Amino acid sequence: MPLLLLDLDNTLLPRDAAFRAWAGDFLAENGLPAGDLDWLVMLDGSGYVPRSTVLGAAKRRYGIDRSVESMLAHYRDGINSHIQCPDSHVAALREAREAGWTLGIVSNGGTLPQLEKIRLTGLAPLVDGWVISEEARCLKPDPLIFEIAARRCDFRPAGDWKAQTWMVGDYGPADIAGAAATGLRSAWLHHGRPWAERAYRPTVSAPGLPEAVRVILTAGEHPVAGRGFAAAAAGRPQRSRGQLAIPASRLAPLPAKAAKVPMTVQAVQAVQTVQAPQPAQSAPAARAAGTSLAQQAPLVKALPLVPIESAQARWGDAAAAAG
């Protein structure tokens, strides 16, 4: 059965919304101007700015007489109290599971904060495994972290695992570049943003997780042979299901004539240039019983961290996690 890997923050979980809620609480609790909310959100940079930088700047701006370490502990408790997995995301994961997909989480970040999010939001029983950059000692876009994720999920495909794996994420330089470097297909959650990278691009783009999962499952059910979007779409007309996503070929500016062609889900199906994997005939016994590896094992799994294509450990070459 195929493997679906997913980013955690702003993919499975609406992390930016949780930060905004925490920032509002922070200002109110400290008697600070409510109008500074956008300043804090801007400084946060969707979580890619180090916490010490964000909280240190807030400490100086407001003259807060607390250590940055104390503020960091308050921040982690506060943001995790606001974060939750939307019902639509839970439904998308269950739909993928029912279609026979193995599910895994690949997240950059600190081990304890990310594990707490997985626990608190109920994601643990919905997936087969996860890997977090700090405990794995490597981070996206390093291909090693995706290989570790496949092993953590106990993914044992009959053929090339890369040809049977998708990566879904919202951050190009980590999620999509990592998928490209590893040889995986990818779905980028654009959240209303334009694609800006030139060196690589996702296989498909979608506004959110449910739409991305729907497109991926549809591609698996209706594999398309041929080269490129236009050639395959021309010979396979199908009923329109709405504009769920756009193929990577549409992320860059196109000539005037081509730009007039509307994008539909059929076009997304046609962008696949590799035969999509077929679901297995039967799921493992654990799934048949309604359980997952995440329910049967501790949160930090003891499976060996060995790359899927090589038995030689590469920890010395892996980049250190930023935390």
Side-chain angles (χ1 to χ4, degrees), residues 2 101 160 162-166 185 219-226 236 269 271-278:
W101 287 68
D160 179 11
K162 298 175 183 177
Q164 302 182 47
T165 302
W166 281 77
R185 283 173 289 179
E221 294 169 0
H222 304 285
V224 176
R236 188 166 182 162
Q269 296 167 0
V271 77
Q272 308 306 324
T273 58
V274 180
Q275 182 79 5
Q278 296 299 318

